[in-house]
Amino acid sequence: MSPLDWAIAIGAIALIAFVNWFFLGSKGATVAAAAASPDGVVDVTVLVEGGYTPSTIEVPAGSRVRMTLDRREDNPCSDEIVIPDFGLRRSLPAFATTIVEFTATAGRHEFSCGMGMLHGAIVGK
């Protein structure tokens, strides 16, 4: 192989590594612990913009959770949220808020965008 071939191969490997890191790597998890209000409902607001902030939400197990999703973009990847453990799949209109309600159970419950590229979790404690 010529030096040019080696440079192209190394450049391609570096580009593949960067794309994987950018789209699939950890975004620095943010954790929010939420407590139930006197009526037993846990209100949590999640910013949807290139990911979920906070990406991990700790709630009391057995509590009713009202998650307000504030979507501040029009990226097609974030136009839906899926929480399989609670049987939820909701559309998220761009530049609007959407409320999703469910009863949290003990354990870790992953959620993602419809394409599976943005990730978060609800942890029932």
Side-chain angles (χ1 to χ4, degrees):
M1 287 179 58
S2 73
L4 179 60
D5 292 336
W6 279 105
I8 292 171
I10 291 170
I13 291 170
L15 183 60
I16 290 168
F18 172 75
V19 168
N20 282 316
W21 168 80
F22 185 80
F23 287 107
L24 304 175
S26 173
K27 302 294 185 215
T30 55
V31 178
S37 64
D39 62 357
V41 176
V42 176
D43 281 308
V44 177
T45 299
V46 177
L47 173 65
V48 181
E49 189 172 29
Y52 301 110
T53 306
S55 60
T56 303
I57 304 157
E58 294 179 354
V59 297
S63 63
R64 189 79 184 147
V65 177
R66 182 180 304 127
M67 184 186 307
T68 302
L69 297 144
D70 183 6
R71 184 170 175 224
R72 296 184 182 176
E73 65 181 359
D74 60 358
N75 179 352
C77 183
S78 64
D79 67 359
E80 188 175 47
I81 187 166
V82 181
I83 311 174
D85 291 351
F86 301 122
L88 292 170
R89 181 179 210 102
R90 295 283 165 77
S91 178
L92 303 177
F95 306 103
T97 58
T98 304
I99 296 175
V100 177
E101 292 191 29
F102 53 90
T103 301
T105 57
R108 184 176 179 87
H109 308 284
E110 304 286 333
F111 60 89
S112 68
C113 67
M115 296 179 184
M117 295 180 71
L118 307 176
H119 298 277
I122 298 145
V123 180
K125 294 200 170 219

